[in-house]
Amino acid sequence: MRTPALLALTTAAFVTVLTEALPAGVLPGMSAGLGVGEPAAGQAVTIYALGTALTAIPLSAATSAWRRKRLLLTGVAGFAVANTVTALSAAYPLTMVARFVAGVAAGVVWALLAGYARRLAPAGREGKAIAVVMAGIPLALALGIPAGTFLGGLLGWRSAFGVMSVIAVVLLGWIAAGVPDHPGQPRGGRLPVLRTLTVPGVAPVLVVTLVFVLAHTVLYTYVAAFLGHAGLGGSVDVVLLVFGVASMAGIGIVGARIDRALRRLTILSTILVAVAAVLMPAGSPALIYAAVALWGLGWGGVPTLLQTAAGNAGGEAADNAQAMLVTLWNAAMAAGGVAGGILLDTAGPTVFPWTLLVLLVPVLAVVVGARRHGFPRQS
């Protein structure tokens, strides 16, 4: 396995997630610097997700014949440009344009990473390679966001985005020097995107992606509100650290066994998150911390499991399946934020764990039912 090249892809995943979530950590300063309220500044996350959701599929189709390294370099360069503009911009509209461009870059990179990782791995270890790359997600959430928030408080929010630009530029050199190139698909040889849905196993994986991410996002987006109601409002950072560390453990477990037990790991991850949802309303701080640890342990490997399942099911149409997965993932994140806000206004924060639990029922049913394709017995 080409570990240095895989670590470059891990860093690309890290940059993608950190670029998306960083505004949440520096929101007050960003709001003041742009002269808008915090709700308006918070749309920097929403417009990023929209950029990804709206462009991942058409860009994947339009660039299918590009050599993979060229496409990856283009996506990372997009992050460098977008984060630089964000760091320098004093105008809210320009900042939003830059954030949309960053979301477009994310769509390019996300649709590419899993397939690239598979090509860098020996036969039978593709899932482990994807797990190495996807470790960038919990690393960004557990370490990147706190570090960016600290830097933003120390030197100002613009410095945090400036550092992100520097990381992207360094990553460009790393990819250019250390990541092997691979060809794209021959023109005319790519299955049309909508026909990818007819490939056995692709539709169940996409349904699980949509509902599982929606369920997770409803709670994760408003976890501070839930913790405040539970008497842990002053410990949100500690709770999220527990979640991040547990997520790292989860992706480690998945990475070690995914090529032999994808189906069982997906079922186990769903059950762990469901048990966490049952424990959270108990009210005891100790049980809430235990629930958050189970939640992170179950959720940590989910991106790897779903991207591996999509790649396996897609076969020759794997790039299409990955692009569709990225689109649905971001659509579910946007919908989760909206749905969670409505639930918070109408039912209060105590409803979030139960909403998570209810949504996980069809997730488990689809995974269990897709025993021949999607999440086959011998995975």
Side-chain angles (χ1 to χ4, degrees):
M1 193 175 296
R2 300 178 179 181
T3 301
L6 285 174
L7 291 178
L9 301 186
T10 304
T11 307
F14 176 88
V15 168
T16 303
V17 173
L18 188 51
T19 298
E20 178 174 23
L22 186 56
V26 297
L27 194 61
M30 195 173 183
S31 168
L34 294 174
V36 297
E38 289 192 12
Q43 298 311 304
V45 177
T46 303
I47 200 165
Y48 180 106
L50 285 174
T52 303
L54 292 174
T55 63
I57 291 176
L59 277 180
S60 179
T63 59
S64 63
W66 287 29
R67 296 194 67 85
R68 300 295 89 181
K69 189 170 182 174
R70 175 191 173 195
L71 186 56
L72 180 60
L73 287 169
T74 301
V76 176
F79 285 124
V81 171
N83 282 323
T84 299
V85 172
T86 302
L88 298 176
S89 172
Y92 179 75
L94 178 59
T95 301
M96 292 300 104
V97 170
R99 292 294 297 173
F100 185 85
V101 170
V104 173
V108 170
V109 172
W110 274 133
L112 185 65
L113 283 180
Y116 219 134
R118 292 171 70 92
R119 292 184 178 188
L120 293 174
R125 301 185 70 188
E126 294 90 349
K128 185 172 184 178
I130 294 174
V132 171
V133 173
M134 292 301 110
I137 299 174
L139 276 173
L141 296 175
L143 301 178
I145 299 301
T149 302
F150 174 77
L151 182 64
L154 187 66
L155 300 177
W157 67 275
R158 297 182 187 279
S159 65
F161 283 99
V163 168
M164 291 299 301
S165 296
V166 172
I167 294 173
V169 170
V170 172
L171 179 59
L172 284 170
W174 187 358
I175 293 169
V179 177
D181 196 8
H182 292 283
Q185 292 183 330
R187 295 190 182 277
R190 183 184 178 100
L191 189 70
V193 172
L194 289 181
R195 284 185 58 192
T196 305
L197 290 172
T198 66
V199 175
V202 170
V205 174
L206 295 179
V207 169
V208 168
T209 298
L210 178 65
V211 183
F212 208 156
V213 175
L214 175 64
H216 165 78
T217 304
V218 165
L219 178 58
Y220 189 83
T221 304
Y222 297 95
V223 68
F226 173 79
L227 292 173
H229 183 272
L232 291 173
S235 303
V236 175
D237 53 348
V238 178
V239 171
L240 291 180
L241 178 61
V242 170
F243 178 86
V245 171
S247 295
M248 290 298 298
I251 201 168
I253 293 168
V254 165
R257 300 188 58 82
I258 186 170
D259 291 309
R260 301 184 301 276
L262 187 149
R263 175 182 174 82
R264 292 193 295 274
L265 286 169
T266 307
I267 292 173
L268 178 60
S269 294
T270 308
I271 291 173
L272 284 174
V273 177
V275 171
V278 172
L279 291 177
M280 279 186 189
S284 163
L287 280 178
I288 290 176
Y289 275 107
V292 168
L294 288 175
W295 179 20
L297 189 64
W299 175 258
V302 167
T304 301
L305 290 166
L306 294 179
Q307 289 203 304
T308 302
N312 290 346
E316 293 298 318
D319 285 351
N320 277 348
Q322 296 293 347
M324 296 172 79
L325 183 147
V326 169
T327 298
L328 288 177
W329 192 290
N330 282 274
M333 288 180 63
V338 173
I342 294 172
L343 287 171
L344 184 62
D345 287 338
T346 58
T350 57
V351 76
F352 291 135
W354 300 116
T355 303
L356 174 62
L357 183 63
V358 168
L359 288 172
L360 288 179
V361 172
V363 169
L364 187 60
V366 173
V367 174
V368 170
R371 59 178 57 88
R372 292 187 59 192
H373 303 286
F375 302 95
R377 287 183 181 275
Q378 302 298 324
S379 295

